[in-house]
Amino acid sequence: MDLIPAPSSAVRRPDEDFPLDATTTLTAPPGLADAERWLRGTLSAATGLPLGPGRPGTGIELVLDGALAAEAYRITVRPGHALLAAGGPAGALWAAQTLRQLLGPDAYRRSPLRREGWVLPGADIADAPRFGWRGALLDVARHFLPKSDVLRFVDLLAAHKLNVLHLHLTDDQGWRVEIKRYPGLTGRGAWRERSMVGYRSGQRRDDCPHGGYYTQDDLREIVAYAAARGVTVVPEIDLPGHTQAAVAAYPELGNTDVVDTAALGVWTDWGVSPHVLNASEETLRFFEGVLEEVLELFPSEFIHLGGDECPKEQWKDSAAAQARIHELGLANEDELQSHLIRHFDRWLAERGRRLIGWDEILEGGLAPGAAVSSWRGFGGGVAAAEAGHDVVMCPEQHVYLDHRQADGPDEPVPVGFVRTLEDVYRFEPVPAQLDAAAARHVIGTQANLWSEFADSARDVDYRAFPRLVAFAEVAWSELPAEPAERDYPDFERRLRGHLEVLDALGVEYRPMGGPRPWQRRPGVAGRPIEGPPPVR
């Protein structure tokens, strides 16, 4: 039973196997309807078995156990009966995912390759996650992914017991969420004329228009689909920087006294645009309107508002921005950014939500109720946790999956740091210098996949897998806190078997020995990549 992520405990009972056949049943109480529906649909499609309803104590049975934590579960497999006990609906979904693993790679196919020989191995399994936030960021702003690809990515997260999809919906290069009161955000802001080739400003463009957006019904579907699989979708609406697409659509949002914002288009460079929001009350009202619709679409506790990489040059040159700083009694432009973040922190809190932002929101003073995504290493997360703020650890040096996986000439996109599969497996989210009280504020960890050079689901697959499998075990399992003590050879052994699961799911992962022939490209869609990595 080489399970991934590794469970808390697993004991094989070789004389207690449970063969499945056309008479095998599946039952669950009403409170576990999502898990029952998912498990029946998935296993019936793969095995051809009907898995109709049955009686308690027989077949495959899901039950609630109030003694377990919400995401914890136990599986007991004996002849004629597989009992999946869970502390709550989420735990039942994770138990169902583990049961699918026990049936082997063919259980991950959408149509049966065989109708006989399905056997659940006799076993006793007890399991619970280490972190409550086990996330992956998908950047659909730089390169838009169709809804079907996002739904597929949700399935891949759930299969590895990752429970947060951080959906990066807006940036300088595109706005991807329909806002009905501001149709220009997608009418104008969702499309750019071309994309930059390489990293350096001034390099040639590909002259290929790029764009797309999700309707509100698309996003409701994504959210509901994810929830039924135990995954929460956390939206990101970036502000006050990374907003050129919004300013291009509504020029009055920019710093009009220092730049002709009416002439701006959606940005065709990578990196960080100098065009940021102004800090007027009118701009605050505009984004309150945006967020009112975002809150209706996304029921998540947290709403990510970016807050990162906000150039201050336009504010320094803007008489209106300087007057605003004086009016508010602020010391400088950093405090002006903090004022904007604090405003939306209060606004979200009044509506029962919580703001989370990149660690730059620490600059100028951290908003009282805000949580931090620590991406520039561990420092911001350490400072936030020691100050009593919740933290999601996602340092670029360790878990940015757009970064290259090896340093050889075969790697198609030489982005950022080299981070191997083993590097990701040895990542420890909780810094050793945190005491016990501060460490409790590390509510989880997240791997981020930025899409400047991932313009298709195939590119996402290559960058994410199999490193996301290693990350999933880091986020779920109770591994040794000292990275050097982790049994990477055992993980690698289990992973080699798990690659058959990825094959069955149609994931075009990077093989452990290096890229496949089609993956050995000089750049995305054949475009050469040159220069240093982007800032983020």
Side-chain angles (χ1 to χ4, degrees):
M1 295 189 302
D2 291 332
L3 298 172
I4 291 179
S8 303
S9 68
V11 178
R12 176 78 167 94
R13 305 291 184 187
D15 297 328
E16 304 284 349
D17 292 352
F18 175 13
L20 307 183
D21 58 31
T23 67
T24 301
T25 59
L26 172 61
T27 59
L32 301 181
D34 279 346
E36 178 189 19
R37 187 181 306 111
W38 179 86
L39 189 57
R40 177 175 286 113
T42 301
L43 294 190
S44 293
T47 65
L49 303 178
L51 298 176
R55 303 186 313 276
T58 64
I60 300 170
E61 183 181 10
L62 294 160
V63 300
L64 285 165
D65 184 343
L68 296 174
E71 290 195 89
Y73 66 89
R74 296 192 321 272
I75 296 177
T76 305
V77 178
R78 297 292 185 271
H81 189 212
L83 181 65
L84 283 66
L93 285 163
W94 308 138
Q97 291 285 359
T98 298
L99 192 79
R100 187 191 196 187
Q101 276 201 66
L102 292 173
L103 287 170
D106 284 351
Y108 289 81
R109 298 193 178 272
R110 299 185 185 185
S111 188
L113 302 185
R114 54 191 169 89
R115 294 182 181 272
E116 297 179 350
W118 293 99
V119 177
L120 281 171
D124 293 312
I125 299 170
D127 205 5
R130 179 185 179 190
F131 292 109
W133 182 304
R134 307 178 302 279
L137 178 145
L138 186 62
D139 174 12
V140 295
R142 273 53 174 266
H143 277 108
F144 177 73
L145 276 183
K147 179 188 67 178
S148 58
D149 291 332
V150 177
L151 296 176
R152 174 179 176 271
F153 195 71
V154 167
D155 281 329
L156 294 175
L157 297 186
H160 296 91
K161 299 186 175 74
L162 295 170
N163 68 341
V164 175
L165 171 60
H166 176 165
L167 205 55
H168 184 74
L169 288 164
T170 72
D171 216 296
D172 298 310
Q173 298 87 1
W175 185 283
R176 309 293 179 213
V177 52
E178 178 188 29
I179 303 297
K180 292 184 181 295
R181 73 187 71 184
Y182 303 127
L185 288 171
T186 48
R188 175 77 176 91
W191 307 91
R192 63 176 181 265
E193 295 179 351
R194 57 188 65 87
S195 300
M196 188 172 77
V197 176
Y199 300 121
R200 295 172 182 158
S201 180
Q203 284 183 308
R204 68 180 179 86
R205 306 301 195 266
D206 62 7
D207 294 324
C208 180
H210 180 83
Y213 67 92
Y214 307 105
T215 68
Q216 293 199 354
D217 282 345
D218 288 338
L219 291 167
R220 290 187 183 97
E221 180 184 356
I222 290 168
V223 167
Y225 186 90
R229 288 152 179 77
V231 176
T232 298
V233 183
V234 173
E236 181 178 355
I237 307 296
D238 221 336
L239 61 86
H242 286 286
T243 50
Q244 183 168 328
V247 175
Y250 291 91
E252 65 272 19
L253 297 174
N255 295 279
T256 56
D257 59 343
V258 295
V259 65
D260 180 11
T261 55
L264 285 179
V266 177
W267 212 31
T268 60
D269 281 11
W270 307 132
V272 181
S273 167
H275 299 289
V276 302
L277 299 178
N278 65 52
S280 69
E281 287 295 321
E282 291 77 14
T283 294
L284 295 180
R285 298 294 87 75
F286 183 99
F287 274 89
E288 287 172 1
V290 168
L291 290 172
E292 283 176 4
E293 297 191 27
V294 167
L295 296 191
E296 193 275 326
L297 297 171
F298 297 92
S300 55
E301 175 187 3
F302 287 98
I303 303 294
H304 206 293
L305 293 188
D308 62 312
E309 296 179 333
C310 179
K312 309 297 194 301
E313 286 74 14
Q314 288 188 358
W315 287 350
K316 291 176 181 177
D317 295 338
S318 167
Q322 293 303 311
R324 187 74 165 141
I325 289 172
H326 178 75
E327 172 193 350
L328 296 169
L330 305 176
N332 52 36
E333 292 77 19
D334 283 345
E335 289 194 6
L336 183 60
Q337 177 174 344
S338 181
H339 164 76
L340 294 174
I341 297 298
R342 286 172 180 269
H343 171 85
F344 287 107
D345 177 62
R346 291 190 298 269
W347 189 91
L348 288 169
E350 289 168 359
R351 289 155 181 79
R353 307 296 186 96
R354 293 182 64 189
L355 182 148
I356 185 168
W358 304 108
D359 53 58
E360 285 93 331
I361 67 174
L362 290 162
E363 298 168 4
L366 186 62
V372 168
S373 298
S374 187
W375 76 276
R376 296 180 299 176
F378 292 99
V382 168
E386 289 178 341
H389 295 272
D390 288 341
V391 176
V392 174
M393 287 293 186
C394 48
E396 63 169 335
Q397 298 88 343
H398 298 271
V399 288
Y400 269 34
L401 300 185
D402 50 314
H403 289 190
R404 62 194 189 276
Q405 302 177 58
D407 212 10
D410 286 345
E411 292 303 314
V413 183
V415 178
F417 305 98
V418 172
R419 284 299 170 260
T420 66
L421 178 70
E422 183 172 356
D423 290 334
V424 173
Y425 191 71
R426 296 193 187 281
F427 164 60
E428 170 50 43
V430 180
Q433 67 262 45
L434 292 179
D435 62 24
R440 283 193 290 272
H441 285 289
V442 180
I443 61 174
T445 184
Q446 179 172 290
N448 296 339
L449 203 164
W450 303 100
S451 68
E452 288 92 341
F453 305 108
D455 63 357
S456 70
R458 299 185 91 178
D459 289 311
V460 169
D461 278 4
Y462 176 81
R463 286 158 181 75
F465 292 95
R467 290 184 297 180
L468 195 62
V469 181
F471 174 80
E473 184 149 304
V474 169
W476 177 277
S477 305
E478 289 288 348
L479 301 177
E482 176 53 53
E485 296 177 3
R486 295 182 183 174
D487 191 350
Y488 177 74
D490 177 70
F491 170 75
E492 188 179 61
R493 178 188 62 77
R494 287 181 288 122
L495 177 62
R496 291 187 183 279
H498 189 73
L499 294 181
E500 295 183 35
V501 168
L502 298 184
D503 289 332
L505 288 168
V507 178
E508 297 193 80
Y509 57 88
R510 179 188 186 275
M512 295 173 72
R516 295 181 174 94
W518 74 264
Q519 293 169 333
R520 294 171 182 156
R521 298 174 296 163
V524 174
R527 298 196 295 268
I529 306 301
E530 300 175 4
V535 177
R536 192 197 60 182

